[in-house]
Amino acid sequence: MTSLYTKKAPVTITCHKRLTPYLEQEVNELGFKVEETFVTGVRLFASINECIRLNLNLRCASQVLYSLRKFDARDADEIYARVKAIPWETLLHPDGYFSITSNVQNDTIKNSMFANLRVKDAVIDCMRDKTGTRPSTGAELNGAVIHLFWKNEEAEIFIDTSGDSLGRHGYRKIPGRAPMLEALAASTILATRWDRKAPFINPMCGSGTVAIEAALIATNSRPGLFRNNYAFMHLQGYDENVYHEERGRLEKQIVEVPELRIIATDLSPQAVENARKNARAAGVADMITFSVCDFAATPVPPDAGGVVFMNPEYGLRLGEITELEETYSRIGDFMKQKCGGYHGYIFTGNLDLAKKIGLKAKRRIEFYNSTLDCRLLEYELYAGTRDTRKLGIS
């Protein structure tokens, strides 16, 4: 079955909820044809070698799953029988290591770990029967990974070519308080009207994720530059030359944007220090001007037509919300007074607080931050003097 490296099969690329439009955009730009989109991902046809390219390039994805077999299964015994029939000896190394992940919705299964166990038993029994030995297994996703999708009586077994989630891009050494997942940060930037050349202003930068992702997007620097272990590397027949060729392509497609200005500020000296360290790890520290200041003192190049992007706290307790009302009001003042000619973006999980900004959002783009319902609010910030109706002050 080593022909899987060149044989196209159904591939499911998963992502967090509401990131699908940006994932689809990325997949299309890589030259693949999306056959189907759904709430948490897209489907297409690709070989495992093509999955290598997808893994290295995608910013918004979580896992790249290559389908091995689809079948009906009423209970865990049927899962075991159908999985054992797959020639695992041609896919896994007898002395290797593999893990099982799953997405299970079946009435006979009360604990998905039991389904995982039956898949693991089937693989090990197949390997032992065919090779006389067996690979080791565990929960760490640093070897080969097999994924079971089982809903009602429909089951599908995948090779997870990714392993650890692609949503973490690998450069962030110091996450800081309540960091935004890198895949989410990239998706929110792709949702803006930023042209990747005009200034990108990021007050309240925290650990720097948004500013760093902006620099990486502007220079076409892909997540595969920061990671050197994927699950596809632990399969039989893996040709490391294919990986090195794809990795080399990442280096060649980086572009320089010498005039680009990315400005990131935070009131916390520790946050700014952490952000600098993360930017150095991502290789973009020289592209970002960091400084410690109140967000309202953030320098904004005048009439530059760029983007101002802020991710203020949402407030979980009543006292915090009362304090944040003033902050959100000041954000509105800052954008009106200092950001004329820019597009303003506020990412928030608290729409009541967002009303305190005092500007009418032109777009409200839906996202989740973990399980929290969030919006990326877009404001058109006019340059010069306009009457309040045109400015959109509510």
Side-chain angles (χ1 to χ4, degrees):
M1 287 178 74
T2 50
S3 63
L4 299 182
Y5 286 93
T6 53
K7 176 186 171 186
K8 289 185 187 292
V11 168
T12 299
I13 307 175
T14 65
C15 63
H16 287 258
K17 279 185 179 178
R18 296 179 176 164
L19 302 194
T20 300
Y22 316 103
L23 173 60
E24 183 178 14
Q25 176 186 326
E26 286 194 289
V27 170
N28 287 335
E29 286 173 358
L30 287 172
F32 293 89
K33 182 188 174 189
V34 173
E35 301 290 337
E36 183 185 352
T37 64
F38 54 101
V39 176
T40 54
V42 301
R43 290 191 186 92
L44 59 144
F45 286 91
S47 65
I48 286 186
N49 280 347
E50 289 172 321
C51 288
I52 294 176
R53 182 182 311 149
L54 290 162
N55 274 287
L56 268 60
N57 279 278
L58 294 175
R59 305 179 197 277
C60 306
S62 297
Q63 317 292 146
V64 180
L65 306 171
Y66 180 93
S67 180
L68 285 180
R69 197 161 292 183
K70 212 171 184 177
F71 50 85
D72 292 336
R74 287 164 298 184
D75 56 34
D77 288 340
E78 290 193 5
I79 291 286
Y80 172 88
R82 299 303 294 267
V83 173
K84 188 171 186 282
I86 296 170
W88 294 105
E89 73 281 3
T90 67
L91 286 165
L92 303 179
H93 294 285
D95 56 351
Y97 170 91
F98 74 93
S99 308
I100 308 292
T101 60
S102 66
N103 182 345
V104 175
Q105 301 168 48
N106 180 280
D107 290 340
T108 68
I109 301 295
K110 305 304 177 204
N111 184 341
S112 64
M113 296 307 296
F114 179 66
N116 290 17
L117 181 64
R118 294 303 279 151
V119 172
K120 184 192 83 170
D121 289 345
V123 174
I124 285 174
D125 289 349
C126 169
M127 293 287 286
R128 194 183 278 123
D129 290 351
K130 298 290 178 63
T131 68
T133 185
R134 52 155 288 182
S136 56
T137 65
E140 295 293 320
L141 302 179
N142 53 15
V145 181
I146 298 159
H147 181 74
L148 166 69
F149 178 83
W150 184 17
K151 185 173 183 181
N152 300 324
E153 293 186 1
E154 293 182 3
E156 194 165 5
I157 287 286
F158 297 89
I159 291 289
D160 178 350
T161 64
S162 306
D164 277 325
S165 174
L166 301 175
R168 293 183 293 273
H169 292 169
Y171 59 79
R172 192 165 66 188
K173 307 304 178 191
I174 309 169
R177 280 184 66 230
M180 190 186 272
L181 180 72
E182 292 95 314
L184 174 60
S187 298
T188 58
I189 294 165
L190 294 176
T192 72
R193 299 184 190 276
W194 187 44
D195 64 3
R196 308 182 190 186
K197 296 173 186 172
F200 189 96
I201 316 299
N202 182 213
M204 299 179 165
C205 71
S207 57
T209 306
V210 169
I212 292 166
E213 287 295 327
L216 295 173
I217 288 170
T219 55
N220 199 28
S221 301
R222 302 290 174 151
L225 294 164
F226 310 108
R227 179 168 165 175
N228 55 22
N229 184 38
Y230 296 87
F232 61 73
M233 295 174 165
H234 304 277
L235 299 172
Q236 281 221 50
Y238 161 65
D239 183 353
E240 65 179 19
N241 291 327
V242 174
Y243 166 73
H244 288 305
E245 189 177 313
E246 292 292 348
R247 181 70 172 65
R249 194 177 291 172
L250 298 189
E251 301 277 1
K252 289 174 189 166
Q253 66 193 22
I254 295 172
V255 295
E256 288 190 23
V257 194
E259 302 300 314
L260 178 62
R261 295 192 68 183
I262 298 176
I263 296 169
T265 69
D266 200 283
L267 192 57
S268 162
Q270 188 60 60
V272 171
E273 180 57 30
N274 293 347
R276 281 199 179 102
K277 288 177 180 174
N278 290 331
R280 281 197 290 271
V284 295
D286 59 337
M287 294 181 61
I288 305 172
T289 303
F290 288 106
S291 58
V292 178
C293 66
D294 179 76
F295 71 84
T298 301
V300 181
D303 301 319
V307 157
V308 177
F309 190 114
M310 301 175 75
N311 177 23
E313 291 184 34
Y314 315 151
L316 300 175
R317 299 175 188 85
L318 192 59
E320 293 174 351
I321 290 172
T322 305
E323 285 179 28
L324 285 170
E325 284 180 352
E326 182 188 352
T327 301
Y328 276 69
S329 176
R330 289 180 61 229
I331 287 171
D333 293 340
F334 165 69
M335 292 204 299
K336 283 178 277 192
Q337 293 162 12
K338 289 190 66 173
C339 306
Y342 281 70
H343 279 96
Y345 293 90
I346 306 294
F347 185 87
T348 182
N350 192 324
L351 291 178
D352 286 333
L353 279 173
K355 292 173 185 172
K356 301 295 180 183
I357 292 167
L359 286 164
K360 188 175 180 182
K362 189 174 182 182
R363 286 197 298 161
R364 294 165 173 256
I365 308 161
E366 295 183 343
F367 285 99
Y368 278 107
N369 190 354
S370 185
T371 58
L372 196 63
D373 189 19
C374 293
R375 296 291 182 276
L376 180 65
L377 304 172
E378 177 184 282
Y379 303 93
E380 194 168 351
L381 308 172
Y382 295 106
T385 306
R386 294 225 173 189
D387 67 48
T388 55
R389 283 171 314 200
K390 288 181 182 174
L391 191 59
I393 298 175
S394 55

